[in-house]
Each structure stands twice: as C-alpha cells, then as structure tokens.
Amino acid sequence: MARPANEISLGQIVRVLDGPLAPVKCVSQMAYEPCGCPDEATCGLRLVMGDVRNAISELLDGTSLADVARRVDKAQAHAREN
C-alpha cells in the first residue's frame, strides 16, 4: 500500500474489493440503477435502504486500517487478561 494505514479507510478498501456499499442499486452513489419503483422519491424501502447505505458508509469511511490495528491490539490485550 502506498499510503500510511491511518490514511486508508475501510470504505475505500471495500469499494475496491466489493464495489458500491449500497444494499440496493437505486440508492447507490457509485452505481445507481433505477429499481422500477413507480415513485422512487416516496418508496419506503428505498428510503430505509438509503439510511442503511449512509450508516455503512459513515462507519467504514470513518474507520482506518490503523483504527482496525488498534482495535485488534486492544482485543488481544483484553483476551490475555481474561
């Protein structure tokens, strides 16, 4: 990797390996496709899936590889104590 771990987010990695984060294409910011719903603006499922996409994005984009390494170290230390 060409950048330090604290500059690489999990969101970037997931998008490269798996593609868009959206659970359905009609809420994707990278690979939008219409779903065939008669009114996307008021579709309840689409509204909820947009919230899901935003929550996933917020979590993964806000977590760096360095954050993951710190969590692993902390979990291992805790496991050794117990």
Side-chain angles (χ1 to χ4, degrees):
M1 298 196 190
R3 293 181 291 152
N6 65 331
E7 293 180 12
I8 301 169
S9 76
L10 292 183
Q12 293 167 325
I13 294 168
V14 171
R15 286 180 184 96
V16 167
L17 297 176
D18 294 334
L21 300 177
V24 293
K25 290 184 178 192
C26 66
V27 297
S28 178
Q29 293 182 349
M30 294 177 58
Y32 169 82
E33 287 183 23
C35 60
C37 186
D39 185 4
E40 281 189 358
T42 61
C43 174
L45 182 59
R46 183 174 187 270
L47 294 170
V48 170
M49 289 300 158
D51 291 343
V52 169
R53 185 245 168 251
N54 292 340
I56 291 170
S57 177
E58 183 177 328
L59 179 64
L60 293 179
D61 290 338
T63 304
S64 71
L65 282 179
D67 295 331
V68 173
R70 281 190 291 274
R71 288 183 75 170
V72 168
D73 290 344
K74 186 175 179 180
Q76 289 174 343
H78 181 71
R80 284 190 296 271
E81 292 171 2
N82 295 322

